[in-house]
């Protein structure tokens, strides 16, 4: 029996510009994606069958689960006969705009490459990742990236270390529905990505915080007024700036004062079911025995 463990790190969007819908149904975006130290824990073990056990019963089984999708793609591509048992300890909330499913998929690609001795190239891993979902290529590498296309064309950036407070209200969001509503409502992009990338290159945390924006917030906050409420509370409690991540509903605030951050954490955890003190990190996943 061979076993491998992995940490799959969540991501936030420091900016998200929606630039239009493509013929393949995806949206052209320009975004700064950032890995954070909130992580799912996965354990992989060789087996005769394919089975995913998850600590959260709401996680789907079968092909709707991105881990299973990766396993099946790899088995088919490399003609693997054996199966794998996956234990998933879910720490990243579901449907939260934090790429939890994509992070798990990326960790599965890297873990099975090692477990099954596939010796995949970087390009082969990315090819599988793209078949699974738009955020999966980023989660393979992680760190700080200026991403274009559907999120798969990268330019590396180096962000100064930042302390964050994540707050997720007790609602779940469908990314597809939010993008569909964006198309119907004919919103125009803020085009914040250029300014955020420039601030990162300058290493200026205050300028980063001042410019973070997410176009999809225009849609999600119409549906969920609580998004604006959380932003107001974070700013009152000392956040330098705040924005929604992905299609939401998680909102994060950037802090430069740890005492204020701790007070905000203590206050907000009394109100919201998920409040997490986080830091920016420079990787998307890690394996350990």
């Amino acid at each position: 029996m061979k076993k491998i463990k992995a940490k799959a790190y969540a991501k936030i969007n420091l900016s998200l510009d929606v630039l239009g819908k493509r013929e393949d149904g995806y949206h052209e975006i320009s975004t700064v994606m950032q890995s954070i130290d909130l992580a799912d824990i996965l354990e992989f073990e060789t087996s005769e069958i394919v089975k995913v056990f998850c600590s959260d019963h709401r996680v789907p089984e079968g092909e709707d689960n991105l881990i299973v999708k990766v396993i099946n793609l790899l088995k088919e591509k490399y003609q693997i006969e054996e199966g794998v048992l996956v234990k998933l300890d879910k720490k990243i909330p579901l449907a939260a705009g934090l790429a939890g499913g994509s992070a798990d998929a990326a960790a599965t690609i890297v873990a099975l490459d090692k477990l099954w001795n596939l010796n995949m190239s970087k390009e082969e891993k990315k090819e599988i990742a793209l078949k699974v979902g738009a955020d999966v290529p980023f989660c393979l590498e992680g760190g700080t990236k200026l991403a274009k296309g559907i999120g798969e064309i990268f330019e590396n950036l180096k962000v100064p270390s930042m302390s964050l407070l994540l707050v997720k209200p007790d609602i779940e969001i469908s990314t597809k529905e939010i993008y569909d509503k964006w198309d119907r409502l004919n919103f125009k992009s803020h085009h914040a990505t250029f300014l955020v990338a420039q601030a990162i290159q300058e290493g200026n945390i205050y300028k980063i915080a001042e410019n973070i924006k997410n176009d999809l917030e225009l849609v999600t906050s119409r549906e969920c007024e609580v998004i604006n409420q959380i932003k107001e509370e974070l700013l009152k409690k000392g956040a330098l700036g705040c924005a929604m991540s992905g299609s939401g509903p998680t909102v994060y605030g950037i802090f430069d004062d740890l005492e204020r951050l701790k007070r905000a954490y203590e206050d907000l955890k009394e109100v919201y079911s998920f409040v997490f003190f986080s830091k920016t990190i420079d990787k998307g996943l890690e394996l350990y025995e």
Side-chain angles (χ1 to χ4, degrees), residues 80-115:
I80 304 292
E81 294 297 324
E82 67 182 355
V84 61
L85 299 180
V86 185
K87 290 178 189 168
L88 170 59
D89 186 5
K90 199 85 185 109
K91 305 290 188 190
I92 305 170
L94 301 183
L98 299 172
S102 297
D104 296 339
T108 303
I109 293 168
V110 175
L112 291 185
D113 177 48
K114 190 168 183 185
L115 194 71

Side-chain angles (χ1 to χ4, degrees), residues 106-248:
T108 303
I109 293 168
V110 175
L112 291 185
D113 177 48
K114 190 168 183 185
L115 194 71
W116 288 341
N117 298 311
L118 301 177
N119 298 312
M120 295 166 72
S121 66
K122 189 175 174 181
E123 289 70 30
E124 286 170 321
K125 287 176 189 168
K126 189 172 179 180
E127 184 189 323
I128 294 289
L130 265 174
K131 286 180 179 173
V132 180
D135 285 342
V136 184
F138 168 77
C139 293
L140 274 176
E141 295 187 27
T144 313
K145 299 241 184 321
L146 171 60
K148 294 184 177 175
I150 61 171
E152 87 288 14
I153 302 164
F154 300 137
E155 183 183 319
N156 286 319
L157 297 172
K158 187 154 179 62
V159 79
S161 178
M162 296 193 295
S163 298
L164 311 163
L165 192 62
L166 274 58
V167 183
K168 179 190 176 288
D170 208 9
I171 47 178
E172 290 178 3
I173 296 294
S174 159
T175 300
K176 184 181 184 309
E177 283 177 24
I178 295 301
Y179 271 107
D180 286 348
K181 282 172 184 163
W182 169 273
D183 293 334
R184 286 203 303 275
L185 292 165
N186 286 318
F187 283 125
K188 296 285 182 281
S189 177
H190 288 106
H191 294 290
T193 294
F194 174 77
L195 294 170
V196 171
Q198 194 174 47
I200 288 170
Q201 283 163 339
E202 290 171 18
N204 189 329
I205 182 177
Y206 301 99
K207 204 166 166 185
I208 295 168
E210 183 188 322
N211 285 292
I212 54 174
K213 273 193 183 63
N214 177 345
D215 284 351
L216 294 181
E217 210 178 285
L218 293 167
V219 183
T220 309
S221 62
R222 279 169 63 108
E223 310 281 309
C224 316
E225 179 52 39
V226 68
I227 303 284
N228 292 326
Q229 189 181 312
I230 293 169
K231 287 181 72 176
E232 281 171 26
E233 289 181 76
L234 283 167
L235 291 169
K236 273 185 200 163
K237 292 178 188 301
L240 301 174
C242 48
M244 188 183 82
S245 183
S247 54

Side-chain angles (χ1 to χ4, degrees), residues 9-24:
Y9 291 107
K11 68 89 185 135
I12 57 169
N13 298 83
L14 293 174
S15 69
L16 179 52
D17 303 342
V18 184
L19 306 176
K21 193 169 185 179
R22 298 165 26 139
E23 284 183 11
D24 61 6

Side-chain angles (χ1 to χ4, degrees), residues 6-8 39-44 51-57 59-60 65-67 85-92 94 100-101 103-105 107-108:
K7 278 187 179 179
D40 287 345
I41 310 295
L42 299 95
E43 186 178 294
F44 302 86
K51 183 75 179 167
V52 178
F53 301 93
C54 184
S55 60
D56 189 328
H57 64 88
V59 170
N65 185 313
L66 299 188
I67 294 171
L85 299 180
V86 185
K87 290 178 189 168
L88 170 59
D89 186 5
K90 199 85 185 109
K91 305 290 188 190
I92 305 170
L94 301 183
D104 296 339
T108 303

